């Protein structure tokens, strides 16, 4: 296939690009490099099957140019920071909803057959059922989660109206090499600055599911192939792990791997121990639907956290 990966220079996107190139697809990346880095994809820059376009998806003409001649679009471009929603909701709208609208406007008049969108577990908010299945009630408690859900809804509407097929993947917390934000990245940087004390947002009992990026990419491509063989215009899958881990346990693993014994200083957080306003305190996705396709993660949450700490420490 000839594929476009939006946000392909970013954390998850660059790992996806690596696999697509190894599978001998023609790959085009569209990225404005606001969150991504050319360093992540430098090994492919001169390859005959690879093309990089630096561009802002808020410009429709840029998006229309980028989708020319492609069969499938993997849409990973987004602002990855959940916390920014409280300070800058308009930025989350522009870099999640508006760019998705532009992409859909470009796709509807094109030959693109498939759109794969990486959404988020945050669309569920404080889930009423845990593990949370795909048909659970959707009530985001952050602007980030709301923006992801808005993008999902637009994609569903466009796919049904304009005749292309769309797959939505709701991701748990994705971690691994090249990540440049999130709790593990933050803990490592804090301990490098002050090895004796570690500030932990919230009360430390926040408990979530973590998936290593290698398992994530494998899951994205496996479920996409399963979806292609089916007949649905639109479908949704959770991608996560069967277990979960607390923030305090993550802090202990990071400290152990760095051979430190810092004093943990909990901020207490907001709204019953959350790290910040809009932080989902408990998240465990049901991945039974994904596993029914033949995929399952190779690492559990604990193993993924430890592997990520090793990778980020180099």
């Amino acid at each position: 296939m000839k594929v476009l990966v939006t946000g392909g220079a970013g954390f998850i996107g660059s790992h996806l690009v690596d696999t697509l190139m190894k599978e001998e697809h023609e790959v085009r990346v569209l990225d404005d490099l606001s969150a991504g880095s050319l360093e992540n994809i430098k090994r492919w820059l001169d390859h005959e099957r690879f093309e990089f376009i630096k561009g802002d998806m808020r410009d429709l003409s840029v998006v229309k140019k980028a989708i020319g001649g492609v069969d499938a679009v993997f849409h990973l471009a987004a602002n990855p920071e959940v916390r920014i929603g409280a300070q800058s909701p308009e930025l989350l709208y522009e870099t999640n909803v508006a760019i998705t609208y532009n992409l859909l406007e470009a796709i509807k008049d094109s030959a693109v057959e498939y759109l794969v969108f990486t959404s988020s577990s945050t669309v569920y908010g404080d889930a009423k059922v845990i593990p949370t299945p795909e048909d659970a009630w959707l009530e985001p408690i952050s602007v980030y989660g709301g923006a992801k859900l808005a993008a999902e809804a637009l994609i569903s509407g466009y796919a049904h109206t304009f005749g292309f097929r769309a797959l939505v993947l709701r991701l748990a917390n994705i971690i691994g090499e090249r990540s440049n934000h999130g709790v593990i990245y933050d803990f490592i940087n804090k301990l490098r600055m002050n090895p004796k004390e570690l500030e932990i947002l919230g009360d430390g009992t926040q408990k979530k599911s973590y998936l290593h990026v290698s398992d994530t990419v494998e899951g994205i491509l496996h479920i996409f192939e399963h979806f292609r063989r089916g007949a649905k215009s639109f479908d949704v899958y959770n991608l996560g792990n069967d277990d979960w881990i607390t923030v305090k346990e993550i802090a202990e693993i990071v400290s152990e791997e760095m051979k430190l014994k810092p004093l943990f200083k909990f901020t207490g957080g907001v709204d019953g121990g959350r790290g910040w306003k809009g932080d989902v305190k408990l998240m465990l996705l049901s991945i039974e639907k994904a596993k029914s396709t033949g995929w399952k993660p190779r690492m559990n949450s604990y193993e993924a956290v430890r592997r990520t700490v090793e990778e980020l420490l180099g």
Side-chain angles (χ1 to χ4, degrees):
M1 288 191 306
K2 185 165 187 175
V3 301
L4 171 68
V5 182
T6 73
F11 163 43
I12 303 173
S14 62
H15 285 279
L16 178 61
V17 166
D18 287 348
T19 303
L20 288 168
M21 286 297 292
K22 287 169 188 172
E23 292 182 355
E24 300 193 342
H25 298 288
E26 287 185 58
V27 179
R28 180 182 293 154
V29 165
L30 172 60
D31 201 306
D32 67 0
L33 301 180
S34 58
S37 167
L38 278 181
E39 185 70 20
N40 291 338
I41 53 171
K42 68 178 182 181
R43 62 187 293 194
W44 307 117
L45 290 175
D46 295 323
H47 198 286
E48 61 183 8
R49 283 188 286 104
F50 183 82
E51 181 185 359
F52 174 72
I53 298 173
K54 184 176 187 288
D56 190 331
M57 291 185 69
R58 289 174 287 190
D59 183 341
L60 180 57
S61 65
V62 168
V63 182
K64 284 184 172 178
K65 178 188 172 191
I67 66 161
V70 305
D71 307 301
V73 178
F74 290 84
H75 180 34
L76 284 77
N79 189 309
E81 282 290 352
V82 179
R83 277 179 277 179
I84 200 174
Q87 294 84 35
S88 186
E90 70 283 355
L91 183 60
L92 276 183
Y93 169 76
E94 287 177 13
T95 55
N96 286 276
V97 186
I99 67 169
T100 302
Y101 169 75
N102 277 352
L103 178 60
L104 293 166
E105 276 291 290
I107 286 175
K108 76 178 173 64
D109 298 319
S110 77
V112 172
E113 295 180 68
Y114 304 101
L115 170 62
V116 180
F117 174 59
T118 49
S119 186
S120 163
S121 63
T122 58
V123 299
Y124 297 111
D126 288 326
K128 295 168 177 61
V129 179
I130 292 178
T132 310
E134 288 84 352
D135 59 1
W137 177 255
L138 301 169
E139 189 180 334
I141 62 167
S142 63
V143 178
Y144 178 87
K148 284 292 189 184
L149 185 53
E152 282 190 23
L154 281 171
I155 289 167
S156 177
Y158 269 75
H160 284 99
T161 303
F162 296 106
F164 61 92
R165 300 176 62 200
L167 173 65
V168 167
L169 299 164
R170 292 176 180 154
L171 306 183
N173 287 24
I174 310 304
I175 55 177
E177 188 180 7
R178 302 179 197 160
S179 57
N180 59 7
H181 71 285
V183 63
I184 298 172
Y185 180 85
D186 288 347
F187 282 171
I188 289 172
N189 284 340
K190 285 178 178 179
L191 285 172
R192 279 174 170 161
M193 290 175 67
N194 182 0
K196 295 183 178 179
E197 183 178 286
L198 179 60
E199 180 192 63
I200 300 173
L201 301 180
D203 62 9
T205 66
Q206 306 99 303
K207 198 172 187 182
K208 302 178 186 182
S209 177
Y210 290 78
L211 187 67
H212 193 268
V213 69
S214 59
D215 282 328
T216 307
V217 169
E218 201 170 275
I220 290 170
L221 293 174
H222 179 90
I223 293 168
F224 174 55
E225 283 305 315
H226 178 81
F227 174 73
R228 283 180 72 191
R229 292 194 296 269
K232 288 187 175 181
S233 294
F234 177 84
D235 210 352
V236 179
Y237 285 82
N238 289 334
L239 267 189
N241 234 312
D242 280 316
D243 67 334
W244 50 357
I245 183 171
T246 67
V247 169
K248 182 173 182 288
E249 287 172 318
I250 293 173
E252 289 167 351
I253 291 172
V254 173
S255 301
E256 183 185 325
E257 288 294 326
M258 294 182 75
K259 298 179 170 53
L260 298 171
K261 292 185 178 178
L263 174 69
F264 290 169
K265 186 177 179 183
F266 299 96
T267 66
V270 298
D271 297 342
R274 301 170 195 270
W276 58 87
K277 194 81 174 171
D279 179 27
V280 175
K281 193 166 187 192
L282 302 172
M283 181 275 287
L284 179 63
L285 300 177
S286 168
I287 58 169
E288 293 310 306
K289 184 175 177 182
K291 289 200 296 186
S292 74
T293 70
W295 170 84
K296 64 177 182 180
R298 298 174 190 271
M299 285 175 259
N300 64 27
S301 292
Y302 288 83
E303 292 164 338
V305 167
R306 195 170 291 279
R307 170 75 67 85
T308 298
V309 176
E310 292 168 357
E311 289 170 343
L312 294 184
L313 289 175

